[in-house]
Amino acid sequence: MTRTVRFHEYGGPEVLRIDDIELPAPGPGEARIRVDAIGLNRAESLFRQGRYGRPVGAFPAGLGYEAAGAVEKTGPGVTGFAPGDPVSVLPAFSMTDYGVYGEAAVVPASALAHRPAGVDAVTGAAVWMTHLTAFGGLLEDGTLRPGETLVVTAASSGVGLAAMQLARRVGAVPVATTRTDAKRERLLAAGAAEVVVTGGLDAAGVADALRAATGGRGADVVFDAVGGAQAAGLLGALVPYGRYVLYGALGGPTLELPSLDLLRSGVTVRPYSISLGTTTTGDTLRRAGAFVTSGLLSGAFTPVVDRVFDLSEVVEAHRHLESNTQVGKIVLTVPH
């Protein structure tokens, strides 16, 4: 029997339970892995609440996109992986079909990446969702270029921190935004060239503060997890022909755009979501995997881990995830 986190109904963190279940043998194209660490993502909180883009197929339901451990067994047709191989599980599947919250998990072999020597399980479980999102939103189609200025909203999130690391690696300049002054020093230590506190500012104030932070020039690219009423100010801070990439909706379901005069300046507005499969399939995943792995090996990509919980503390970990007080990733470790 395997300890596995499941939920039997939609709800808050308290609906999460640790059940003893019998895992099936891996089928064609699948692998069973021993799970040593699990990276938490906001998508899993939304899935647990019934607010994610894909509903639960049936209760009880598992969850989880990201993990690190070692291969225990492979199913028919799987090549390139063998029992004992250290691996990371990438977010390249639907939680309606697979989940990794537990002592072991069966996942598609196509969602596995070899974990380089020297990369521990916590790092291997914390790096992929964040850095794949940043890669797909900023590099895959050439959105961000060397020498440009990148504004990163919700910069203390795992994706925000990954975007700043990515910007530094390609020779761009990251400017972080945050709602309060409490995280300023940690964001500067994490690589932000400037930090702009947006709490209490209207759209015009956000635009003015970002232009001031960029020496009056403005930003070339905005990578935005917030949207909502703040979007107009972010767009107002862009240079002519700047690019605005929206990858989240923390500010609500409505995106407020500025006047047509600004849009006529050639600003490009583009939504991006890793859940659409744009960075988790085929050649795109191969390119992204190579980029992230090389960054790990060089030390350029070091996921910022806010706090580590034991698997038995999964309810508390989800409460912390929803507190919005963290800087970086939350990770569960799994004792064996």
Side-chain angles (χ1 to χ4, degrees):
M1 302 296 283
T2 301
R3 291 196 306 155
T4 301
V5 176
R6 302 193 297 179
F7 57 108
H8 296 245
E9 61 182 332
Y10 290 129
E14 67 279 356
V15 303
L16 296 173
R17 291 169 39 179
I18 298 179
D19 297 333
D20 289 322
I21 68 170
E22 191 73 40
L23 276 184
E30 295 178 334
R32 175 180 165 129
I33 66 161
R34 183 194 74 231
V35 176
D36 295 324
I38 302 159
L40 270 59
N41 296 286
R42 194 166 296 275
E44 292 138 28
S45 168
L46 296 173
F47 188 61
R48 188 202 71 232
Q49 297 173 64
R51 296 171 51 209
Y52 196 49
R54 297 182 178 92
V56 164
F59 289 113
L63 72 171
Y65 273 132
E66 255 183 315
V71 174
E72 290 186 333
K73 187 177 181 180
T74 59
V78 173
T79 60
F81 295 97
D85 285 352
V87 291
S88 290
V89 181
L90 281 56
F93 50 84
S94 169
M95 280 190 289
T96 59
D97 302 318
Y98 299 95
V100 298
Y101 278 31
E103 293 177 321
V106 174
V107 296
S110 58
L112 294 180
H114 288 283
R115 182 155 47 95
V119 176
D120 61 45
V122 169
T123 298
V127 71
W128 286 99
M129 176 70 87
T130 56
H131 287 73
L132 286 177
T133 302
F135 176 90
L138 294 172
L139 288 193
E140 176 62 13
D141 65 354
T143 295
L144 182 67
R145 297 184 286 263
E148 294 188 322
T149 298
L150 170 70
V151 168
V152 180
T153 69
S156 60
S157 69
V159 175
L161 294 164
M164 291 197 296
Q165 291 182 5
L166 181 149
R168 290 290 190 187
R169 190 164 193 236
V170 302
V173 179
V175 174
T177 77
T178 184
R179 288 180 299 173
T180 72
D181 200 55
K183 299 176 181 178
R184 176 189 295 273
E185 293 305 316
R186 293 184 71 179
L187 289 171
L188 290 170
E194 299 285 347
V195 177
V196 173
V197 177
T198 59
L201 298 179
D202 60 11
V206 169
D208 288 343
L210 287 171
R211 281 194 292 267
T214 57
R217 177 179 177 273
D220 298 282
V221 181
V222 169
F223 194 49
D224 185 22
V226 181
Q230 181 177 279
L234 296 168
L235 284 156
L238 284 168
V239 300
Y241 300 99
R243 285 87 70 202
Y244 170 87
V245 181
L246 178 71
Y247 75 94
L250 297 177
T254 302
L255 185 68
E256 296 188 19
L257 298 177
S259 68
L260 288 177
D261 288 341
L262 177 61
L263 296 180
R264 290 191 188 105
S265 70
V267 166
T268 300
V269 178
R270 179 170 68 90
Y272 172 75
S273 172
I274 193 171
S275 65
L276 298 179
T278 52
T279 316
T280 57
T281 56
D283 286 344
T284 304
L285 181 59
R286 179 180 55 79
R287 288 190 292 270
F291 183 75
V292 174
T293 298
S294 68
L296 282 170
L297 291 172
S298 71
F301 294 161
T302 305
V304 177
V305 176
D306 177 83
R307 190 170 168 187
V308 176
F309 293 83
D310 185 271
L311 180 68
S312 63
E313 301 172 305
V314 63
V315 171
E316 184 182 350
H318 265 240
R319 288 188 178 129
H320 186 54
L321 176 68
E322 294 175 1
S323 73
N324 296 320
T325 59
Q326 69 271 23
V327 175
K329 290 281 285 193
I330 300 166
V331 176
L332 294 171
T333 54
V334 185
H336 292 279

Coordinates of all heavy atoms in Angstrom, one line a residue, residues 8-77:
H8 N -11.8 14.0 -1.3 CA -13.1 13.3 -1.6 C -14.2 14.3 -2.0 O -15.3 13.9 -2.3 CB -13.5 12.4 -0.4 CG -12.5 11.3 -0.2 ND1 -12.8 10.0 -0.3 CD2 -11.2 11.4 0.2 CE1 -11.8 9.3 0.0 NE2 -10.8 10.1 0.3
E9 N -13.9 15.6 -1.9 CA -14.9 16.6 -2.2 C -14.1 17.9 -2.4 O -13.0 18.1 -2.0 CB -15.9 16.8 -1.1 CG -15.3 17.2 0.2 CD -16.3 17.4 1.3 OE1 -17.5 17.7 1.0 OE2 -16.0 17.2 2.5
Y10 N -14.7 18.9 -3.1 CA -14.1 20.2 -3.3 C -14.1 20.9 -2.0 O -15.0 20.7 -1.1 CB -14.8 21.0 -4.3 CG -14.7 20.5 -5.8 CD1 -15.8 20.3 -6.6 CD2 -13.4 20.3 -6.3 CE1 -15.7 19.9 -7.9 CE2 -13.3 19.9 -7.6 CZ -14.4 19.7 -8.4 OH -14.3 19.3 -9.7
G11 N -13.1 21.8 -1.7 CA -13.1 22.6 -0.5 C -11.8 23.2 -0.2 O -10.9 23.2 -1.1
G12 N -11.6 23.6 1.0 CA -10.4 24.2 1.5 C -9.3 23.2 1.7 O -9.5 22.0 1.5
P13 N -8.1 23.6 2.3 CA -7.0 22.7 2.5 C -7.4 21.5 3.4 O -6.9 20.4 3.3 CB -6.0 23.5 3.2 CG -6.3 24.9 2.7 CD -7.7 25.0 2.5
E14 N -8.4 21.7 4.3 CA -8.8 20.6 5.2 C -9.4 19.4 4.5 O -9.5 18.3 5.1 CB -9.8 21.2 6.2 CG -11.2 21.6 5.7 CD -11.2 23.0 5.0 OE1 -10.1 23.6 5.1 OE2 -12.2 23.3 4.5
V15 N -9.8 19.5 3.2 CA -10.4 18.3 2.6 C -9.3 17.3 2.1 O -9.6 16.2 1.7 CB -11.3 18.7 1.4 CG1 -12.4 19.6 1.8 CG2 -10.4 19.3 0.2
L16 N -8.0 17.7 2.2 CA -7.0 16.8 1.8 C -6.8 15.7 2.8 O -6.7 16.0 4.0 CB -5.7 17.6 1.6 CG -5.6 18.7 0.5 CD1 -4.4 19.5 0.6 CD2 -5.8 18.0 -0.9
R17 N -6.7 14.5 2.4 CA -6.5 13.3 3.3 C -5.4 12.5 2.7 O -5.1 12.4 1.5 CB -7.8 12.5 3.3 CG -8.9 13.2 4.1 CD -10.3 12.5 3.9 NE -10.2 11.1 3.9 CZ -11.3 10.3 3.8 NH1 -12.5 10.8 3.6 NH2 -11.2 9.0 3.8
I18 N -4.7 11.8 3.6 CA -3.7 10.8 3.2 C -4.3 9.4 3.3 O -4.7 9.0 4.4 CB -2.4 10.9 4.1 CG1 -1.8 12.3 3.9 CG2 -1.5 9.8 3.7 CD1 -0.6 12.5 4.8
D19 N -4.5 8.8 2.2 CA -5.1 7.5 2.1 C -4.1 6.4 1.7 O -3.1 6.7 1.0 CB -6.2 7.5 1.0 CG -7.4 8.4 1.3 OD1 -7.6 8.7 2.5 OD2 -8.0 8.9 0.3
D20 N -4.3 5.2 2.2 CA -3.4 4.1 1.8 C -4.1 3.4 0.6 O -5.3 2.9 0.7 CB -3.3 3.1 2.9 CG -2.4 3.6 4.1 OD1 -1.4 4.3 3.7 OD2 -2.7 3.4 5.2
I21 N -3.5 3.4 -0.5 CA -4.1 2.8 -1.7 C -3.1 1.9 -2.4 O -1.9 1.9 -2.2 CB -4.5 3.9 -2.7 CG1 -3.3 4.7 -3.3 CG2 -5.4 4.9 -2.1 CD1 -3.6 5.6 -4.5
E22 N -3.6 1.1 -3.3 CA -2.8 0.2 -4.1 C -2.6 0.8 -5.4 O -3.5 1.0 -6.2 CB -3.5 -1.2 -4.2 CG -2.6 -2.3 -4.8 CD -1.6 -2.8 -3.9 OE1 -1.9 -2.9 -2.7 OE2 -0.4 -3.0 -4.3
L23 N -1.3 1.2 -5.7 CA -1.0 1.8 -7.0 C -1.0 0.8 -8.1 O -0.5 -0.4 -7.9 CB 0.3 2.5 -7.0 CG 0.5 3.9 -6.4 CD1 1.9 4.4 -6.6 CD2 -0.5 4.8 -7.1
P24 N -1.6 1.1 -9.3 CA -1.5 0.1 -10.4 C -0.1 0.0 -10.9 O 0.7 0.9 -10.7 CB -2.5 0.8 -11.4 CG -2.4 2.2 -11.1 CD -2.3 2.4 -9.6
A25 N 0.1 -1.0 -11.6 CA 1.4 -1.2 -12.3 C 1.4 -0.2 -13.5 O 0.4 0.2 -14.0 CB 1.6 -2.6 -12.8
P26 N 2.6 0.3 -13.8 CA 2.7 1.2 -15.0 C 2.2 0.6 -16.3 O 2.7 -0.5 -16.6 CB 4.1 1.7 -15.0 CG 4.9 0.6 -14.3 CD 3.9 0.1 -13.3
G27 N 1.4 1.3 -17.0 CA 0.9 0.7 -18.3 C 1.9 1.2 -19.4 O 2.9 1.7 -19.2
P28 N 1.5 0.9 -20.7 CA 2.3 1.4 -21.8 C 2.6 2.9 -21.8 O 1.7 3.7 -21.6 CB 1.4 1.0 -23.0 CG 0.5 -0.1 -22.5 CD 0.2 0.2 -21.1
G29 N 3.9 3.2 -21.9 CA 4.3 4.6 -21.9 C 4.3 5.2 -20.5 O 4.5 6.4 -20.4
E30 N 4.2 4.5 -19.5 CA 4.1 5.0 -18.1 C 5.3 4.5 -17.3 O 6.0 3.5 -17.7 CB 2.8 4.6 -17.4 CG 1.6 5.2 -18.0 CD 0.3 4.8 -17.3 OE1 0.3 3.7 -16.6 OE2 -0.7 5.5 -17.3
A31 N 5.6 5.2 -16.2 CA 6.6 4.7 -15.2 C 6.1 5.0 -13.8 O 5.3 5.9 -13.6 CB 7.9 5.5 -15.5
R32 N 6.5 4.1 -12.9 CA 6.2 4.3 -11.5 C 7.5 4.8 -10.9 O 8.6 4.3 -11.1 CB 5.8 3.0 -10.9 CG 5.7 3.1 -9.3 CD 5.3 1.8 -8.7 NE 5.4 1.8 -7.2 CZ 4.5 1.5 -6.4 NH1 3.3 1.0 -6.8 NH2 4.7 1.5 -5.1
I33 N 7.3 5.9 -10.1 CA 8.5 6.5 -9.4 C 8.3 6.5 -7.9 O 7.2 6.6 -7.4 CB 8.8 7.9 -9.9 CG1 7.6 8.9 -9.5 CG2 9.0 8.0 -11.4 CD1 8.0 10.3 -9.6
R34 N 9.4 6.4 -7.2 CA 9.4 6.7 -5.8 C 9.5 8.2 -5.7 O 10.3 8.8 -6.3 CB 10.6 6.1 -5.1 CG 10.7 6.3 -3.6 CD 12.1 5.9 -3.0 NE 13.0 7.0 -3.4 CZ 14.2 6.7 -3.9 NH1 14.6 5.5 -4.2 NH2 15.1 7.7 -4.2
V35 N 8.6 8.8 -4.9 CA 8.6 10.3 -4.8 C 9.3 10.7 -3.5 O 9.0 10.2 -2.4 CB 7.1 10.8 -4.7 CG1 7.1 12.3 -4.4 CG2 6.4 10.4 -6.0
D36 N 10.3 11.5 -3.7 CA 11.1 12.0 -2.6 C 10.7 13.5 -2.2 O 10.9 13.9 -1.0 CB 12.6 12.0 -2.9 CG 13.1 10.5 -3.0 OD1 12.6 9.6 -2.3 OD2 14.0 10.3 -3.9
A37 N 10.3 14.3 -3.2 CA 9.9 15.6 -2.9 C 8.9 16.1 -3.9 O 8.8 15.6 -5.0 CB 11.1 16.6 -3.0
I38 N 8.0 17.0 -3.5 CA 6.9 17.4 -4.3 C 6.9 19.0 -4.3 O 6.9 19.6 -3.2 CB 5.5 16.9 -3.8 CG1 5.5 15.4 -3.7 CG2 4.3 17.4 -4.6 CD1 4.5 14.8 -2.7
G39 N 6.8 19.6 -5.5 CA 6.7 21.0 -5.6 C 5.2 21.4 -5.6 O 4.4 20.9 -6.4
L40 N 4.8 22.4 -4.8 CA 3.4 22.8 -4.7 C 3.2 24.0 -5.7 O 4.1 24.8 -5.9 CB 3.0 23.3 -3.3 CG 2.5 22.2 -2.4 CD1 3.4 21.0 -2.2 CD2 2.1 22.8 -1.1
N41 N 2.0 24.0 -6.3 CA 1.7 25.0 -7.3 C 0.3 25.5 -7.1 O -0.6 24.8 -6.6 CB 1.8 24.5 -8.7 CG 3.2 24.1 -9.1 OD1 4.0 25.0 -9.3 ND2 3.5 22.8 -9.1
R42 N 0.0 26.8 -7.4 CA -1.3 27.3 -7.2 C -2.4 26.6 -7.9 O -3.5 26.5 -7.5 CB -1.3 28.8 -7.6 CG -2.5 29.6 -7.1 CD -2.3 31.1 -7.2 NE -1.2 31.5 -6.4 CZ -1.4 31.9 -5.1 NH1 -2.5 31.7 -4.5 NH2 -0.3 32.3 -4.4
A43 N -2.0 26.0 -9.1 CA -3.0 25.2 -9.8 C -3.6 24.1 -9.0 O -4.8 23.7 -9.2 CB -2.3 24.6 -11.1
E44 N -2.8 23.5 -8.1 CA -3.3 22.4 -7.3 C -4.3 22.9 -6.2 O -5.3 22.2 -5.9 CB -2.1 21.7 -6.6 CG -1.3 21.0 -7.6 CD 0.2 21.1 -7.4 OE1 0.6 21.3 -6.3 OE2 1.0 21.0 -8.4
S45 N -4.1 24.1 -5.7 CA -5.1 24.7 -4.8 C -6.4 25.0 -5.6 O -7.5 24.7 -5.1 CB -4.5 26.0 -4.3 OG -5.5 26.8 -3.6
L46 N -6.3 25.5 -6.8 CA -7.5 25.7 -7.6 C -8.2 24.4 -7.9 O -9.5 24.3 -7.9 CB -7.1 26.5 -8.8 CG -6.6 27.9 -8.6 CD1 -6.1 28.5 -9.9 CD2 -7.6 28.8 -8.0
F47 N -7.4 23.4 -8.3 CA -8.0 22.1 -8.6 C -8.8 21.5 -7.4 O -9.9 21.0 -7.6 CB -6.9 21.2 -9.1 CG -7.3 19.8 -9.6 CD1 -8.1 19.8 -10.8 CD2 -6.9 18.7 -9.0 CE1 -8.5 18.6 -11.3 CE2 -7.3 17.4 -9.6 CZ -8.1 17.4 -10.7
R48 N -8.2 21.6 -6.3 CA -8.8 21.1 -5.0 C -10.1 21.9 -4.7 O -11.1 21.3 -4.2 CB -7.8 21.3 -3.9 CG -8.2 20.7 -2.6 CD -7.5 21.4 -1.4 NE -8.0 22.7 -1.2 CZ -7.3 23.8 -1.1 NH1 -6.0 23.8 -1.3 NH2 -7.9 25.0 -0.9
Q49 N -10.2 23.2 -5.1 CA -11.4 24.0 -4.9 C -12.4 23.8 -6.0 O -13.5 24.4 -5.8 CB -11.0 25.4 -4.7 CG -10.1 25.8 -3.6 CD -9.6 27.2 -3.6 OE1 -10.4 28.1 -3.5 NE2 -8.3 27.4 -3.8
G50 N -12.1 23.2 -7.1 CA -13.0 23.1 -8.2 C -13.0 24.4 -9.0 O -14.0 24.6 -9.8
R51 N -12.0 25.1 -9.0 CA -11.9 26.4 -9.7 C -10.8 26.3 -10.8 O -10.5 27.4 -11.4 CB -11.5 27.5 -8.7 CG -12.6 27.8 -7.7 CD -12.1 28.8 -6.6 NE -11.5 30.0 -7.3 CZ -10.6 30.7 -6.7 NH1 -10.0 30.3 -5.6 NH2 -10.1 31.8 -7.3
Y52 N -10.3 25.2 -11.1 CA -9.3 25.0 -12.1 C -9.9 24.8 -13.5 O -11.1 24.6 -13.6 CB -8.4 23.8 -11.8 CG -7.1 23.8 -12.5 CD1 -6.3 24.9 -12.6 CD2 -6.6 22.6 -13.2 CE1 -5.0 24.8 -13.3 CE2 -5.4 22.5 -13.8 CZ -4.6 23.7 -13.9 OH -3.4 23.6 -14.5
G53 N -9.2 25.0 -14.5 CA -9.7 24.9 -15.9 C -10.3 23.5 -16.2 O -11.2 23.3 -17.0
R54 N -9.7 22.5 -15.5 CA -10.2 21.1 -15.8 C -10.8 20.6 -14.5 O -10.1 20.5 -13.4 CB -9.0 20.2 -16.2 CG -8.4 20.6 -17.5 CD -7.3 19.6 -17.9 NE -6.7 19.9 -19.1 CZ -5.6 20.7 -19.3 NH1 -5.0 21.3 -18.2 NH2 -5.1 20.9 -20.5
P55 N -12.1 20.1 -14.5 CA -12.7 19.6 -13.3 C -12.2 18.2 -12.9 O -11.6 17.5 -13.8 CB -14.2 19.6 -13.6 CG -14.2 19.3 -15.1 CD -13.0 20.1 -15.6
V56 N -12.4 17.8 -11.7 CA -12.1 16.5 -11.3 C -12.9 15.5 -12.1 O -14.1 15.7 -12.3 CB -12.4 16.3 -9.8 CG1 -12.4 14.8 -9.4 CG2 -11.4 17.1 -8.9
G57 N -12.2 14.4 -12.5 CA -12.9 13.4 -13.3 C -13.8 12.6 -12.4 O -15.0 12.3 -12.7
A58 N -13.4 12.2 -11.2 CA -14.1 11.4 -10.3 C -13.5 11.5 -8.9 O -12.3 11.6 -8.8 CB -14.3 9.9 -10.7
F59 N -14.3 11.5 -7.8 CA -13.8 11.5 -6.5 C -13.7 10.0 -6.0 O -14.5 9.2 -6.4 CB -14.7 12.3 -5.6 CG -14.7 13.7 -5.8 CD1 -15.8 14.4 -6.3 CD2 -13.6 14.5 -5.4 CE1 -15.8 15.8 -6.4 CE2 -13.5 15.9 -5.6 CZ -14.7 16.5 -6.1
P60 N -12.7 9.7 -5.1 CA -11.6 10.6 -4.6 C -10.6 10.9 -5.7 O -10.4 10.1 -6.6 CB -11.0 9.8 -3.5 CG -11.3 8.4 -3.8 CD -12.6 8.4 -4.5
A61 N -10.0 12.1 -5.6 CA -9.1 12.6 -6.7 C -7.7 12.8 -6.1 O -7.6 13.3 -5.0 CB -9.6 13.8 -7.3
G62 N -6.7 12.5 -6.9 CA -5.3 12.9 -6.5 C -5.0 14.2 -7.1 O -5.8 14.9 -7.8
L63 N -3.8 14.7 -6.9 CA -3.4 16.0 -7.5 C -1.9 16.1 -7.4 O -1.2 15.3 -6.8 CB -4.0 17.2 -6.7 CG -3.6 17.5 -5.3 CD1 -4.2 18.9 -4.9 CD2 -3.9 16.5 -4.3
G64 N -1.4 17.1 -8.1 CA 0.1 17.3 -8.1 C 0.7 17.2 -9.5 O 0.5 16.2 -10.2
Y65 N 1.5 18.2 -9.9 CA 2.2 18.3 -11.1 C 3.7 18.0 -11.1 O 4.3 17.5 -12.0 CB 2.0 19.7 -11.7 CG 0.8 19.9 -12.5 CD1 0.0 21.1 -12.3 CD2 0.4 19.1 -13.5 CE1 -1.1 21.4 -13.1 CE2 -0.7 19.3 -14.3 CZ -1.5 20.5 -14.1 OH -2.6 20.7 -14.8
E66 N 4.3 18.3 -10.0 CA 5.8 18.4 -9.9 C 6.3 17.5 -8.8 O 5.9 17.6 -7.7 CB 6.2 19.8 -9.6 CG 6.8 20.6 -10.7 CD 7.2 22.0 -10.3 OE1 6.5 22.6 -9.5 OE2 8.3 22.4 -10.7
A67 N 7.3 16.7 -9.1 CA 8.0 15.9 -8.1 C 9.4 15.5 -8.5 O 9.8 15.7 -9.6 CB 7.2 14.6 -7.8
A68 N 10.1 15.0 -7.6 CA 11.4 14.4 -7.8 C 11.6 13.1 -7.0 O 11.1 13.0 -5.9 CB 12.5 15.4 -7.5
G69 N 12.3 12.2 -7.6 CA 12.5 10.9 -7.0 C 13.3 10.0 -7.8 O 14.3 10.5 -8.5
A70 N 13.0 8.7 -7.9 CA 13.7 7.8 -8.7 C 12.7 6.8 -9.3 O 11.7 6.5 -8.8 CB 14.7 7.0 -7.9
V71 N 13.1 6.3 -10.5 CA 12.3 5.3 -11.2 C 12.3 4.0 -10.5 O 13.3 3.5 -10.0 CB 12.8 5.1 -12.7 CG1 12.0 4.0 -13.4 CG2 12.7 6.4 -13.5
E72 N 11.1 3.4 -10.3 CA 11.0 2.1 -9.7 C 10.7 1.1 -10.7 O 11.2 0.0 -10.6 CB 9.8 2.1 -8.6 CG 10.1 2.9 -7.4 CD 9.1 2.8 -6.3 OE1 7.9 2.5 -6.7 OE2 9.4 2.9 -5.1
K73 N 9.9 1.4 -11.7 CA 9.5 0.4 -12.7 C 9.0 1.1 -13.9 O 8.4 2.2 -13.8 CB 8.4 -0.5 -12.2 CG 8.0 -1.7 -13.1 CD 7.0 -2.6 -12.4 CE 6.7 -3.8 -13.3 NZ 5.7 -4.7 -12.7
T74 N 9.2 0.6 -15.1 CA 8.7 1.2 -16.4 C 7.7 0.3 -17.0 O 7.8 -1.0 -16.9 CB 9.9 1.5 -17.3 OG1 10.6 0.3 -17.7 CG2 10.8 2.5 -16.7
G75 N 6.8 0.8 -17.7 CA 5.8 0.1 -18.5 C 6.3 -0.3 -19.9 O 7.3 0.2 -20.3
P76 N 5.5 -1.0 -20.6 CA 5.8 -1.4 -21.9 C 6.1 -0.2 -22.8 O 5.3 0.8 -22.8 CB 4.6 -2.2 -22.4 CG 3.9 -2.7 -21.1 CD 4.2 -1.6 -20.1
G77 N 7.1 -0.3 -23.6 CA 7.4 0.7 -24.6 C 8.2 1.9 -24.1 O 8.5 2.8 -24.9

